Amino acid sequence: HGDPRVRQEGLKTILALEAGDSEPLIIQALQDKEPMVQKQALSCLSDIGIISNDSINKILEVLLVEQPKTREEIITYCQKRVMLIKALGTLKEHPQGKKIDDTLISILKIQCEEKKFFKFFRRAADQEVCAYFSTILNTLILIGGYQTITGLKKLSPEETPYSELIDEAITKIQQRLSEASPKPEED
């Protein structure tokens, strides 16, 4: 529908009806041009809590599409991917945790090695590009495991504007994992 409010309400209705085939529609809405529709789709995924392997694979495929070359295209590229990455962070169960980790870390690695986005940070620090990288790191903090820490440690020594943020993400994952493991009982 042309009106984003109708699309937003449609997502709410799909969720309320617990339609079995709603997940692909919700995943598609994450890429909607209107932020209000994207946020509603993310909220729907949070309520569902578990995303099928097919949907996870579709999200990962979209994330791995080669980034564009022009500044304007990169900003749009980042905007459209932020909600997809956030969707991965809503998962209560991570049936493809290693694949998600590997994909997100490979995206960070490519950017750290090529330093394409970092030129924009020094010039204008575009909010969309910052949100993209922050979202990747925040999602890894939410769902990452010990393999995530290993992958991020390989990126951390890189001299990029994100080295400090990567180190902070490693610390937060370590804290979350140590809090999640049962403490030994005292006698």
Side-chain angles (χ1 to χ4, degrees):
H1 195 277
D3 187 343
R5 292 174 294 187
V6 173
R7 295 194 303 273
Q8 182 182 25
E9 289 303 318
L11 287 168
K12 291 178 185 177
T13 303
I14 287 171
L15 187 64
L17 294 174
E18 298 178 8
D21 59 349
S22 63
E23 191 178 88
L25 296 172
I26 295 170
I27 298 296
Q28 182 180 356
L30 287 169
Q31 298 177 75
D32 195 279
K33 62 184 174 190
E34 291 294 329
M36 65 191 283
V37 177
Q38 293 174 357
K39 288 177 184 172
Q40 184 61 50
L42 186 61
S43 175
C44 290
L45 278 180
S46 293
D47 291 344
I48 292 172
I50 299 171
I51 303 175
S52 70
N53 284 333
D54 288 341
S55 292
I56 290 171
N57 287 332
K58 181 175 171 81
I59 290 171
L60 296 178
E61 284 175 26
V62 171
L63 293 177
L64 289 172
V65 170
E66 187 177 345
Q67 75 180 33
K69 305 298 181 213
T70 69
R71 181 176 188 274
E72 291 76 24
E73 289 174 337
I74 288 175
I75 290 171
T76 302
Y77 171 92
C78 291
Q79 289 171 332
K80 289 187 174 185
R81 279 148 183 81
V82 164
M83 282 297 170
L84 293 173
I85 295 167
K86 284 183 179 180
L88 296 173
T90 66
L91 297 173
K92 293 178 182 143
E93 294 180 21
H94 309 99
Q96 295 189 44
K98 181 167 176 17
K99 187 174 182 180
I100 294 168
D101 277 2
D102 290 347
T103 301
L104 295 179
I105 289 172
S106 72
I107 292 168
L108 288 174
K109 184 178 190 301
I110 290 166
Q111 301 315 316
C112 287
E113 288 173 352
E114 294 181 8
K115 298 182 171 99
K116 286 181 181 178
F117 284 158
F118 301 124
K119 294 176 186 172
F120 298 127
F121 282 110
R122 284 185 223 124
R123 275 194 262 145
D126 293 304
Q127 289 181 358
E128 292 83 3
V129 179
C130 289
Y132 179 65
F133 280 99
S134 296
T135 302
I136 292 173
L137 290 173
N138 287 332
T139 299
L140 289 171
I141 289 167
L142 291 171
I143 68 171
Y146 292 105
Q147 74 276 1
T148 309
I149 295 170
T150 303
L152 289 174
K153 282 183 177 179
K154 291 177 183 175
L155 297 178
S156 186
E158 298 279 337
E159 287 302 318
T160 69
Y162 269 92
S163 295
E164 191 174 309
L165 291 175
I166 292 170
D167 289 340
E168 288 175 24
I170 291 168
T171 302
K172 288 179 181 178
I173 295 169
Q174 289 170 331
Q175 288 173 345
R176 182 180 53 77
L177 292 174
S178 68
E179 290 170 3
S181 63
K183 297 180 181 179
E185 293 182 23
E186 295 182 24
D187 292 326

